[in-house]
Amino acid sequence: DDAATLFKAALQLSGAHVINAAGPEVITLREIGNIIGKELNKNPIFDNRQGDPVDYIGENSAAMEKLCSPRISFQEGLALTI
């Protein structure tokens, strides 16, 4: 629902914009895998690799200012999607 609302609001913007559609939660890939596993009643299998972890954090201030703020959590949205 949040993604559809954000996309609908983006259609109303004029001009060119680069906007990251991300919520306020910072979630690791392992947490995402565990949330999906819980929703599917499966135990996720992780392939751990050596090396420094890489952080990818979505910068969402443009989405919050120009479009809308999320109404539901990542876990709730994923449950609805699944």
Side-chain angles (χ1 to χ4, degrees):
D1 290 350
D2 286 339
T5 301
L6 187 125
F7 186 74
K8 182 179 176 184
L11 292 173
Q12 305 304 313
L13 294 175
S14 60
H17 301 270
V18 176
I19 298 176
N20 186 13
E25 300 168 89
V26 176
I27 304 173
T28 67
L29 288 176
R30 182 174 294 277
E31 289 170 323
I32 292 171
N34 284 326
I35 291 168
I36 292 170
K38 183 178 176 184
E39 289 298 323
L40 297 176
N41 250 350
K42 304 273 183 181
N43 289 323
I45 299 171
F46 298 101
D47 182 11
N48 297 311
R49 306 250 172 132
Q50 295 298 318
D52 294 330
V54 178
D55 293 330
Y56 298 103
I57 298 177
E59 205 296 297
N60 63 357
S61 63
M64 301 288 189
E65 291 169 14
K66 296 178 182 180
L67 303 175
C68 60
S69 297
R71 295 176 300 158
I72 61 174
S73 70
F74 176 83
Q75 187 165 352
E76 290 171 303
L78 186 62
L80 290 169
T81 300
I82 291 174

